[in-house]
């Protein structure tokens, strides 16, 4: 029986039987509750969900969003000649463009597609590519399509996208700390560090000692939502690239759905919220989500270093076996013992002729290098 795709515009319209067919919901990021939190809080984004069916049973799933991005947001932080930058900007009319993302635009990692076990992975993934193509044709004014983010172990499957005229490019890696089972406390972790990195961790805790930390309930998130959003915007403004700004109403819904598995921790200087971290415990992994920082107080009170230390603490306390610290600030994260996990995404212009230009551009994109520290003894 051939594979066919079915596209849904809301989580609520997806038959429960499809989720049961896939048996994917043990991973929180593929659960309808997780996806719905983003859908209902971010109304400026068009969400679509592609299911691949065989004999009327779901065998694969893809999560997509259609967002509007300024083309200069994409090109300004990529190393290229001014001539190439002008060509790319002109190709998109120096304007905002509608982009179809396959993969969760708010997560860094391989959380956008799910292939059921014991199915032909290549054929099933090709069916997803056909589903994305079908979706892109049905939506007006889409200029580009990006399918993200794949680990090296998946490339033997995902490289078949090149037959659909996509170009592959590496993006900033996720920074992963692997936790050892003998680390039962933050002191155990620090004892495994070389002296200068242990001093660095202690200094961050000492400088931030004046801060009062508090785990947020659903009500706390609602109460401080405007301050959280402002602090989050601060970090977005400092980022090299951000496809879309998250409405932190999402966090209210995530906390309601996932209780203690979804963590938001606020940092107060006297009565002023000056920072926060967020994280999701997904099976045996702790994944850092967005943070927010008051940069006017960051240097004096080591808010960001304190947040990084607390991610390690949370990983140990939740008995996780790894912490995903996400992208950006890779060198700083490596001082805590994080190692890079390479990620690849694929892009193409919707129209064939401009796509030949875009493919050459994508192939010449190089991610920024960084110094990888080795902090453990």
């Amino acid at each position: 029986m051939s594979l066919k795709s079915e596209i849904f515009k809301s989580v609520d319209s997806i038959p429960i039987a499809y989720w049961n067919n896939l048996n994917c919901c043990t991973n929180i990021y593929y659960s309808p509750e997780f996806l719905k939190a983003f859908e209902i809080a971010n109304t400026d984004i068009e969400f679509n969900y592609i299911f691949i069916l065989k004999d009327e049973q779901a065998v694969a799933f893809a999560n997509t969003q259609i967002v509007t991005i300024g083309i200069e947001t994409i090109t300004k932080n990529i190393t290229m000649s001014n001539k190439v930058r002008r060509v790319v900007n002109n190709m998109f009319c120096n304007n905002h463009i509608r982009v179809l993302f396959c993969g969760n635009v708010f997560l860094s990692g391989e959380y956008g597609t799910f292939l059921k076990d014991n199915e032909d992975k290549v054929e099933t993934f090709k069916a997803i590519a056909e589903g994305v193509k079908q979706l892109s044709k049905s939506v007006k004014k889409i200029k580009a399509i990006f399918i993200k983010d794949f680990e090296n172990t998946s490339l033997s499957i995902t490289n078949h996208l090149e037959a659909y005229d996509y170009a592959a490019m590496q993006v900033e890696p996720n920074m992963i700390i692997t936790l050892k089972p003998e680390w039962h406390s933050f002191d155990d972790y620090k004892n495994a560090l070389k002296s200068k990195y242990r001093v660095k961790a202690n200094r961050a805790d000492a400088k931030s000692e004046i801060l009062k930390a508090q785990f947020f309930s659903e009500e706390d998130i609602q109460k401080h939502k405007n301050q959280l959003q402002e602090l989050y915007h601060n970090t977005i403004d400092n980022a090299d690239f951000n496809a879309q700004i998250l409405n932190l109403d999402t966090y209210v819904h995530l906390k309601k759905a996932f209780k203690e598995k979804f963590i938001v921790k606020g940092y107060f200087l006297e009565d002023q919220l000056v920072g926060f971290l967020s994280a999701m415990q997904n099976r045996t992994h702790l994944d850092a989500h967005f943070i927010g920082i008051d940069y006017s107080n960051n240097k004096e009170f080591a808010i960001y270093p304190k947040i990084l230390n607390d991610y390690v603490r949370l990983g140990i306390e939740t008995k996780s076996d790894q912490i995903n610290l996400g992208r950006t600030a890779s060198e700083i994260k490596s001082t805590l013992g994080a190692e890079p996990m390479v990620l690849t995404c694929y892009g193409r212009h919707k129209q064939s002729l401009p796509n030949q230009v875009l493919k050459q551009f994508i192939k010449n994109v190089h991610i920024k290098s960084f110094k990888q520290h080795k902090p453990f003894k």
Side-chain angles (χ1 to χ4, degrees):
M1 176 69 71
S2 62
L3 302 174
K4 65 178 183 178
S5 63
E6 191 171 351
I7 299 172
F8 299 90
K9 291 191 171 297
S10 73
V11 169
D12 286 343
S13 63
I14 300 168
I16 294 174
Y18 286 8
W19 299 114
N20 294 336
N21 293 157
L22 291 176
N23 193 27
C24 62
C25 296
T26 53
N27 185 322
I28 281 172
Y29 301 132
Y30 298 119
S31 69
E33 295 83 4
F34 183 82
L35 298 170
K36 187 174 180 180
F38 287 83
E39 178 187 306
I40 61 180
N42 298 275
T43 55
D44 54 337
I45 298 174
E46 183 178 333
F47 292 83
N48 290 279
Y49 311 94
I50 301 171
F51 281 80
I52 305 304
L53 305 181
K54 184 174 80 171
D55 299 329
E56 305 305 318
Q57 291 208 335
V59 293
F61 160 78
N63 177 25
T64 75
Q65 304 93 51
I66 298 170
V67 303
T68 302
I69 308 176
I71 184 60
E72 289 187 355
T73 300
I74 299 172
T75 61
K76 70 179 180 179
N77 291 298
I78 296 175
T79 302
M80 67 180 81
S81 70
N82 289 332
K83 181 179 179 181
V84 172
R85 184 176 283 107
R86 282 196 301 273
V87 169
V88 174
N89 286 347
N90 289 336
M91 186 167 64
F92 291 103
C93 304
N94 291 298
N95 210 333
H96 286 74
I97 61 171
R98 295 236 298 165
V99 180
L100 169 60
F101 282 90
C102 178
N104 195 317
V105 74
F106 294 115
L107 295 179
S108 173
E110 199 169 311
Y111 306 122
T113 57
F114 181 88
L115 309 180
K116 188 176 179 180
D117 288 339
N118 302 319
E119 298 291 336
D120 185 316
K121 295 289 196 290
V122 171
E123 291 306 311
T124 308
F125 191 78
K126 285 180 179 179
I128 287 176
E130 289 289 349
V132 171
K133 183 178 179 180
Q134 175 187 332
L135 175 61
S136 70
K137 286 182 175 180
S138 69
V139 180
K140 294 180 179 179
K141 297 182 179 179
I142 285 179
K143 293 293 186 182
I145 307 166
F146 282 89
I147 303 182
K148 62 183 287 286
D149 298 305
F150 297 101
E151 300 169 15
N152 285 346
T153 53
S154 297
L155 298 187
S156 61
I157 300 168
T158 61
N159 278 341
H160 286 82
L161 286 170
E162 293 174 0
Y164 293 83
D165 226 9
Y166 286 85
M169 68 174 176
Q170 281 192 9
V171 293
E172 279 192 287
N174 273 338
M175 296 300 291
I176 309 292
I177 298 177
T178 301
L179 298 175
K180 295 187 177 180
E182 61 265 29
W183 295 344
H184 301 293
S185 68
F186 192 63
D187 282 340
D188 291 339
Y189 158 79
K190 286 192 298 183
N191 288 336
L193 296 172
K194 297 173 185 174
S195 176
K196 74 172 184 176
Y197 297 101
R198 188 164 58 252
V199 169
K200 183 176 180 294
N202 286 333
R203 186 187 303 120
D205 282 346
K207 289 181 71 174
S208 61
E209 193 172 14
I210 192 173
L211 301 179
K212 179 185 175 184
Q214 176 188 334
F215 287 103
F216 280 8
S217 64
E218 181 186 339
E219 292 73 22
D220 293 326
I221 297 171
Q222 188 70 58
K223 175 183 176 182
H224 296 287
K225 189 180 65 181
N226 291 340
Q227 296 160 284
L228 292 168
Q229 193 78 48
E230 183 178 340
L231 292 170
Y232 162 64
H233 275 262
N234 289 346
T235 62
I236 292 302
D237 290 342
N238 278 274
D240 287 343
F241 171 76
N242 188 67
Q244 192 70 17
I245 295 173
L246 180 71
N247 184 326
L248 291 191
D249 275 335
T250 309
Y251 281 9
V252 178
H253 300 298
L254 288 176
K255 190 65 179 176
K256 184 174 184 178
F258 296 105
K259 305 294 190 287
E260 72 282 353
K261 289 186 177 181
F262 181 65
I263 300 162
V264 178
K265 189 175 186 179
Y267 300 85
F268 292 85
L269 181 61
E270 296 177 348
D271 293 326
Q272 180 186 357
L273 185 66
V274 294
F276 77 89
L277 66 76
S278 60
M280 181 70 81
Q281 188 181 8
N282 185 27
R283 298 186 290 194
T284 62
H285 295 176
L286 182 79
D287 297 323
H289 284 225
F290 291 113
I291 65 169
I293 297 171
D294 174 359
Y295 285 97
S296 67
N297 284 300
N298 184 48
K299 187 173 181 180
E300 182 176 359
F301 300 109
I303 300 169
Y304 183 54
K306 173 64 172 177
I307 286 173
L308 291 178
N309 279 0
D310 280 0
Y311 274 127
V312 177
R313 287 187 172 93
L314 283 170
I316 294 170
E317 289 165 7
T318 56
K319 295 180 170 55
S320 301
D321 55 29
Q322 77 168 40
I323 306 167
N324 180 357
L325 293 176
R327 304 195 224 266
T328 73
S330 298
E331 181 174 344
I332 295 171
K333 291 170 181 174
S334 78
T335 65
L336 284 87
E339 298 275 350
M341 175 182 284
V342 175
L343 295 172
T344 297
C345 72
Y346 300 81
R348 63 156 297 158
H349 195 284
K350 188 177 177 181
Q351 297 175 353
S352 296
L353 190 58
N355 189 46
Q356 302 314 305
V357 179
L358 185 62
K359 281 172 65 178
Q360 292 306 311
F361 163 71
I362 289 174
K363 287 176 180 178
N364 285 286
V365 169
H366 300 287
I367 60 173
K368 294 178 180 177
S369 60
F370 64 94
K371 180 181 177 181
Q372 175 67 42
H373 291 258
K374 298 292 183 181
F376 295 116
K377 294 174 182 175

